[in-house]
């Protein structure tokens, strides 16, 4: 669930939350152990305590995390305690007037501590519908508050990730008014890294997010204060978490933000170079760059492509396989080492540790993250990507557009011809059916364009990629790629009436 705070069945409020908790209790079963976490948004603590009271009243063992904490701490604790389910009260990077509710599966299987997938979502929804009036729900205060040891165990877990030996790196960091700051600083200290320079104006949790228009590190301007701090302090890198700290943004001072695909490529190469075993595999999504399969092939491991979302990425490994790295272009990363996977979900704090480790190794050799990206471009070709979003006032426009494209596939996008069209609504390649289209492009360069309506907002997400060979002049090829992405983005406008807004 995710939506505005307010009264009514289509808003986040105590009634909605308590009925949902009753549905989770029915789904998990009497006697089930359920861990509950929450962030620092408006009403998050209230919603977490209400959930605990409903679960305890339904005969479940309800365990509440000790304070507002990152989502990956909840995901870790569900698996660590062998709980039957988990609940996280968060709206992640949504606007301040929103809140939300995420449910995780438990148990002892490989997917323990990952987000639910069908049919669990429908089962819980049906149980919520059958919950009855809130006033008749049995409530109990017989729930237990977990101690700080839960956070300590999470930090110990992420410190088992491949972190190498180098620690000589300086970073500016912002938690964007969210809950990641204290946990990230403790993790950096425990792993032996110098403490990052934290943006003072964004250091403390604040549910109003006063310094940003949207508390999303991908949004223009969101990390400007961190970039300024890096410039003033002379740090090597910039790190930013979203408010619930399950995502990580990375910037290089003087250059700006790296894309999620660029960070994903760097982390993948680093992890694959420091893990061992023929059972390793990696995973990415249908909307991410085509770079990871090339990196995987170079390291002799299998790469799996899933639908968007870590509920799918966390389950990508087949029987006898071990997923050591998974990512999606929206700044989400899940990492593992030879001692296992601490979190079966995206984790912005564990990813920050590994990113700092690889940056420290590069610095030891007199190099930067930008140099490493140039190396990958020379090795695999330059995979330049961009996401644009078309926001509409009427969601029916999106459905009409997708129907029109399915009825008659475009022959070209600008100068690039469509050489292949993939429709994921039919369950392509064994994937669950989803409303998405992807076009393979050819011409002067290779490329892809993927279109997917958002599941939470009235907008169409469009993912652009061009692939250019690189011989020597990487900078020139990058400039060429950006121009080609600009041209591709321009062709998207032709799909929509002029009044609809196109945002990068």
């Amino acid at each position: 669930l995710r939506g505005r705070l307010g009264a009514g069945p289509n808003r986040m409020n105590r009634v909605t939350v308590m009925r949902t908790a009753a549905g989770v209790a029915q789904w998990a079963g009497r006697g089930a152990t359920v861990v509950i976490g929450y962030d620092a948004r408006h009403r998050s603590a209230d919603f977490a305590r209400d959930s605990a009271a409903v679960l305890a009243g339904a005969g479940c063992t309800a365990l509440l995390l000790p304070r507002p904490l990152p989502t990956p701490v909840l995901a870790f604790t569900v698996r660590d305690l062998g709980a039957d389910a988990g609940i996280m009260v968060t709206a992640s990077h949504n606007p301040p007037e929103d809140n939300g509710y995420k449910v995780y599966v438990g148990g002892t299987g490989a997917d323990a501590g990952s987000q639910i997938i069908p049919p669990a979502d429908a089962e819980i929804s049906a149980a919520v519908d059958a919950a009855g009036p809130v006033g008749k729900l049995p409530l109990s205060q017989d729930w237990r508050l977990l101690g700080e040891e839960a956070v300590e165990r999470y930090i110990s877990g992420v410190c088992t990730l491949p972190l190498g030996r180098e620690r000589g790196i300086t970073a500016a960091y912002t938690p964007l008014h969210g809950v990641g700051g204290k946990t990230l600083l403790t993790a950096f200290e425990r792993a032996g890294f110098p403490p990052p320079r934290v943006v003072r104006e964004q250091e403390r949790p604040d549910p109003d997010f006063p310094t940003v228009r949207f508390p999303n590190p991908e949004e223009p301007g969101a990390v400007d204060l961190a970039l300024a701090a890096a410039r003033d302090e002379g740090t090597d890198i910039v790190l930013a978490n979203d408010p619930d700290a399950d995502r990580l943004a990375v910037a290089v001072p003087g250059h700006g933000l790296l894309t999620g695909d660029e960070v994903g490529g760097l982390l993948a190469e680093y992890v694959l170079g420091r893990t061992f075993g023929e059972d390793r595999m990696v995973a990415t999504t249908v909307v991410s760059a085509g770079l990871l399969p090339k990196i995987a092939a170079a390291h002799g491991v299998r790469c799996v492509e899933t639908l968007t979302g870590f509920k799918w990425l966390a389950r990508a490994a087949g029987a006898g396989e071990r997923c050591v790295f998974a990512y999606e272009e929206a700044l989400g990363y899940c990492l593992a080492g030879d001692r296992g996977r601490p979190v079966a979900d995206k984790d912005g704090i564990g990813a920050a540790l590994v990113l700092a480790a690889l940056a420290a190794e590069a610095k030891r050799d007199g190099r930067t993250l930008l140099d490493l990206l140039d190396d990958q471009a020379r090795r695999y070709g330059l995979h330049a990507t961009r996401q644009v979003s078309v926001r509409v006032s009427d969601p029916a426009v999106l459905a009409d557009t997708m129907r029109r494209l399915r009825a008659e596939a475009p022959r070209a996008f600008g100068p690039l011809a469509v050489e292949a069209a993939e429709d994921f609504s039919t369950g392509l390649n064994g994937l669950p059916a989803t409303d998405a289209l992807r076009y393979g492009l050819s011409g002067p360069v290779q490329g892809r364009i993927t279109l997917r309506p958002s599941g939470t907002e009235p907008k169409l997400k469009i993912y652009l990629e061009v692939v250019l060979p690189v011989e020597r002049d990487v900078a020139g090829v990058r400039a060429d790629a950006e121009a080609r992405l600009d041209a591709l983005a321009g062709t998207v406008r032709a799909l929509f009436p002029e009044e609809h807004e196109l945002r990068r």
Side-chain angles (χ1 to χ4, degrees):
L1 307 179
R2 195 177 296 185
R4 294 282 184 95
L5 292 163
N10 65 340
R11 293 288 186 265
M12 290 298 298
N13 51 62
R14 295 185 67 194
V15 172
T16 300
V17 165
M18 293 172 75
R19 284 173 53 82
T20 304
V24 173
Q26 176 66 30
W27 170 74
R30 189 174 185 85
T33 297
V34 183
V35 184
I36 305 163
Y38 61 100
D39 65 10
R41 284 179 175 269
H42 292 296
R43 305 306 301 273
S44 284
D46 296 333
F47 293 163
R49 286 191 289 266
D50 284 341
S51 296
V54 171
L55 287 159
C60 295
T61 299
L63 307 176
L64 188 66
L65 287 177
R67 53 184 169 85
L69 286 164
T71 293
V73 176
L74 179 279
F76 172 88
T77 305
V78 170
R79 171 182 285 196
D80 186 51
L81 296 182
D84 298 292
I87 293 168
M88 184 68 194
V89 181
T90 180
S92 189
H93 54 277
N94 274 40
E97 58 268 23
D98 290 2
N99 213 323
Y101 208 80
K102 297 172 73 172
V103 179
Y104 289 75
V105 298
T108 58
D111 62 346
S114 61
Q115 298 176 49
I116 59 169
I117 59 171
D121 53 355
E123 293 168 353
I124 295 173
S125 182
V128 172
D129 291 341
V134 167
K136 295 185 177 180
L137 292 176
L139 305 179
S140 171
Q141 297 304 310
D142 188 22
W143 47 266
R144 181 158 64 92
L145 187 67
L146 295 174
E148 287 294 319
E149 69 275 3
V151 188
E152 289 295 314
R153 289 183 63 82
Y154 163 78
I155 291 170
S156 295
V158 295
C159 285
T160 67
L161 292 170
L163 300 178
R165 297 183 178 180
E166 299 300 322
R167 296 293 184 267
I169 196 71
T170 58
Y173 168 69
T174 175
L176 281 185
H177 302 293
V179 295
K182 183 176 179 180
T183 305
L184 182 138
L185 290 174
T186 303
F188 266 61
E189 179 184 14
R190 190 73 50 82
F193 289 103
R197 156 57 162 100
V198 183
V199 175
R200 180 181 55 81
E201 299 92 332
Q202 298 172 333
E203 182 174 10
R204 297 177 65 84
D206 187 331
D208 291 320
F209 308 108
T211 66
V212 292
R213 184 181 176 192
F214 293 104
N216 180 349
E218 290 182 294
E219 288 286 337
V223 299
D224 282 359
L225 289 175
L227 289 168
R231 183 174 59 249
D232 294 344
E233 299 289 330
T235 66
D236 301 309
I237 56 174
V238 176
L239 305 173
N241 287 134
D242 64 339
D244 69 329
D246 64 351
R247 300 198 302 164
L248 174 72
V250 179
V252 175
H255 173 80
L257 278 175
L258 305 184
T259 68
D261 286 314
E262 289 173 328
V263 176
L266 293 178
L267 289 172
E269 196 109 55
Y270 185 86
V271 171
L272 286 173
R274 288 154 185 82
T275 55
F276 304 93
E278 296 182 356
D279 59 342
R280 295 175 303 157
M281 55 83 63
V282 295
T284 188
T285 70
V286 297
V287 303
S288 300
L291 175 61
L292 187 58
K294 295 181 180 180
I295 295 174
H299 288 268
V301 305
R302 191 169 79 99
C303 181
V304 173
E305 194 176 64
T306 77
L307 298 184
T308 57
F310 269 83
K311 63 183 180 182
W312 304 114
L313 284 167
R315 294 171 169 84
E321 289 186 320
R322 177 169 51 101
C323 185
V324 296
F325 180 73
Y327 96 98
E328 61 182 0
E329 55 79 41
L331 309 184
Y333 315 97
C334 178
L335 304 99
D338 288 328
R339 294 173 64 181
R341 179 172 63 174
V343 179
D345 196 17
K346 55 185 179 291
D347 178 4
I349 292 173
L353 285 175
V354 178
L355 194 285
L358 75 87
E361 286 198 9
K363 184 179 179 182
R364 175 200 62 194
D365 299 332
R367 317 190 77 222
T368 69
L369 298 182
L370 301 180
D371 294 318
L372 301 183
L373 289 173
D374 286 351
D375 289 346
Q376 287 191 328
R378 295 185 185 97
R379 191 177 304 126
Y380 306 113
L382 176 64
H383 290 251
T385 61
R386 182 184 301 175
Q387 181 192 144
V388 295
S389 295
V390 178
R391 299 179 185 270
V392 298
S393 56
D394 182 2
V397 172
L398 302 181
D400 290 343
T401 300
M402 297 299 283
R403 279 195 296 269
R404 175 160 49 89
L405 290 172
R406 287 190 170 98
E408 186 175 357
R411 295 184 178 181
F413 286 90
L416 300 183
V418 173
E419 65 175 9
E422 299 173 291
D423 185 353
F424 292 94
S425 68
T426 61
L428 192 67
N429 300 326
L431 297 174
T434 192
D435 188 11
L437 295 166
R438 185 168 67 182
Y439 301 102
L441 308 177
S442 64
V445 299
Q446 300 296 305
R448 291 198 303 194
I449 181 169
T450 307
L451 301 95
R452 179 178 71 90
S454 170
T456 57
E457 300 176 81
K459 68 179 182 181
L460 183 69
K461 293 185 174 182
I462 303 169
Y463 306 84
L464 310 175
E465 178 179 17
V466 292
V467 184
L468 285 74
V470 176
E471 295 181 359
R472 293 186 179 180
D473 180 17
V474 182
V477 176
R478 289 192 187 280
D480 185 10
E482 287 301 308
R484 294 181 184 277
L485 288 174
D486 288 340
L488 267 184
T491 66
V492 172
R493 298 180 188 274
L495 299 175
F496 295 89
E498 286 298 322
E499 67 267 23
H500 298 305
E501 177 188 6
L502 179 66
R503 293 189 56 182
R504 177 170 175 173

